[in-house]
Amino acid sequence: MVVIMKQGYTRQELEHAIAEMERGGVKVMVSHGSESTILGAEGNAANIDIERMQALPGVERVMRVSEPYKKANRKYHPDDSIIQAAPGVLVGGKKLAVFAGPCSVESEEQITAIAQAVKEDGACALRGGAFKPRTSPYSFQGMGYAGLDLLEKARAATGLPVVTELMSTDDIDYFAEHVDVIQVGARNMQNFDLLKRLGKVDKPILLKRGLSATIEEWIMSAEYILAGGNEKVILCERGVRTFETFTRNTLDLSAVLAVKKQTHLPVMVDPSHASGQAWMVERLSLAAIAAGCDGLIIEVHNDPVHALCDGQQSITPAQFRSLMEKAATVAACVGREV
Ligand code: PEP
Ligand code: MN
């Protein structure tokens, strides 16, 4: 249940409305938005008398909420959430956030060179996997902690905050201390132990959509993190599995619109994993901006042919530069900037 207060309600009226809801056995979340103040019922609101609530002074409107997600729901929080990925780096505002870098950290020279290149062309954070979820146990699994050290070196050299994937609950404390944005990969979107633990961490979480997750399942995974108390959740659409085999996945841009409508969380798009093909990345990025995403996460490699992971979908720094120039033009058409 959601209770919307009238403009100019008094403190007493607010307290009265909260008390009435609590009497019905729920916990009340108060959200002071730019347009209105909203009271959200956490828990089972079946015992609250909706007509009685509606008649209270100061109450504008009472709505039952059918969605199973509460904290992520835009009905409880009408304003867009803007998440600080790192000092000075916001995701969800007018300016689009662009995270760029290789699929995997491979060496100090590689990560530092790519970090410098993408920074020059306007990336606001460096991506790079150190712990890689690979389909085959015989494929490169990432450099692990040594890779995290190299990300920190690249951050020191460029000032770019780092975004990297966490796979195990064992590594949470280390990540919380050494990483700026913790990525939960598609394969772990429903690792509920991981999500619960991340609810207790004071770091932004980039939550990728699962390979075959519905929009509601994806939002419910965000709800796990929010319910634990961590409100810094950024969603990331990275393509879903369909019958199509031409592309690695099928980029679901309608999901960007859906989650922006249903939730207040920012949503980024990963055109690299969605398509699996470098030549598609620029156009899909522009389409994602036109669809209203809040940012992009793009795989960039200085030597894609020899990349240890996902070379076929990685663009070069020169291609990234061209993409960023076009992105600025499309962003301006939809009232955003890069
Ligand atoms: C990645 O970002 O390198 C990655 C493995 O992505 P996803 O979890 O979306 O497959
Ligand atoms: Mn990758």
Side-chain angles (χ1 to χ4, degrees):
M1 172 183 282
V2 164
V3 176
I4 302 166
M5 298 301 292
K6 280 187 178 142
Q7 298 283 349
Y9 64 83
T10 66
R11 202 167 64 107
Q12 236 178 355
E13 288 167 345
L14 180 71
E15 283 167 2
H16 190 178
I18 293 173
E20 194 62 32
M21 290 170 78
E22 285 173 345
R23 225 192 325 276
V26 301
K27 210 175 134 205
V28 180
M29 299 185 286
V30 184
S31 161
H32 296 284
S34 59
E35 301 278 310
S36 53
T37 292
I38 291 178
L39 310 181
E42 228 183 286
N44 183 3
N47 291 330
I48 303 176
D49 183 339
I50 198 161
E51 279 168 15
R52 210 178 130 90
M53 272 316 298
Q54 193 97 57
L56 292 182
V59 168
E60 171 80 35
R61 199 147 55 93
V62 182
M63 290 187 294
R64 291 254 179 232
V65 174
S66 49
E67 293 86 6
Y69 42 89
K70 310 290 174 204
K71 298 214 157 178
N73 203 316
R74 195 178 273 282
K75 286 184 185 142
Y76 288 85
H77 190 300
D79 296 334
D80 287 339
S81 279
I82 298 179
I83 311 292
Q84 182 173 299
V89 178
L90 301 178
V91 187
K94 183 170 185 193
K95 192 170 158 65
L96 297 171
V98 181
F99 301 170
C103 180
S104 314
V105 180
E106 298 171 6
S107 68
E108 182 169 349
E109 300 69 47
Q110 175 244 22
I111 194 68
T112 310
I114 297 172
Q116 263 149 2
V118 298
K119 184 184 179 180
E120 234 166 74
D121 293 320
C124 64
L126 174 68
R127 66 145 288 148
F131 294 88
K132 296 302 304 175
R134 303 304 302 276
T135 301
S136 166
Y138 308 116
S139 300
F140 175 57
Q141 302 286 309
M143 292 180 72
Y145 283 101
L148 296 182
D149 288 347
L150 297 184
L151 282 171
E152 290 196 277
K153 283 194 173 157
R155 174 174 55 202
T158 60
L160 285 181
V162 299
V163 184
T164 195
E165 177 166 352
L166 170 75
M167 294 210 297
S168 165
T169 50
D170 294 346
D171 298 326
I172 286 187
D173 294 338
Y174 193 88
F175 269 62
E177 206 174 313
H178 297 269
V179 164
D180 299 291
V181 177
I182 302 176
Q183 176 175 324
V184 175
R187 291 156 192 79
N188 271 313
M189 189 205 82
Q190 285 190 317
N191 181 338
F192 299 115
D193 276 347
L194 196 61
L195 300 175
K196 281 182 202 164
R197 291 281 308 276
L198 290 171
K200 302 294 173 206
V201 164
D202 184 25
K203 277 284 156 155
I205 311 299
L206 182 73
L207 178 65
K208 292 191 129 191
R209 183 179 182 184
L211 306 177
S212 298
T214 65
I215 289 168
E216 187 167 293
E217 286 165 344
W218 183 23
I219 300 174
M220 288 308 285
S221 289
E223 188 77 12
Y224 262 90
I225 303 170
L226 299 167
N230 182 355
E231 305 205 324
K232 298 180 203 152
V233 179
I234 304 164
L235 297 169
C236 178
E237 160 61 34
R238 45 77 73 206
V240 287
R241 249 212 196 151
T242 67
F243 51 82
E244 187 52 72
T245 54
F246 189 88
T247 44
R248 183 173 178 179
N249 292 289
T250 296
L251 178 58
D252 181 7
L253 286 183
S254 63
V256 173
L257 282 89
V259 295
K260 296 282 304 172
K261 179 168 185 287
Q262 296 300 107
T263 83
H264 51 88
L265 302 172
V267 57
M268 297 182 73
V269 168
D270 175 347
S272 311
H273 290 89
S275 63
Q277 306 190 48
W279 67 275
M280 288 189 177
V281 167
E282 179 179 288
R283 285 294 180 101
L284 293 179
S285 299
L286 302 180
I289 294 170
C293 73
D294 296 296
L296 299 164
I297 175 164
I298 298 176
E299 285 188 345
V300 177
H301 200 289
N302 52 358
D303 185 8
V305 176
H306 296 105
L308 295 182
C309 184
D310 286 350
Q312 72 290 353
Q313 68 192 34
S314 300
I315 60 173
T316 62
Q319 290 167 328
F320 181 66
R321 170 169 299 187
S322 146
L323 183 161
M324 289 297 273
E325 283 165 10
K326 293 177 185 151
T329 308
V330 176
C333 293
V334 291
R336 308 293 286 269
E337 51 193 53
V338 178

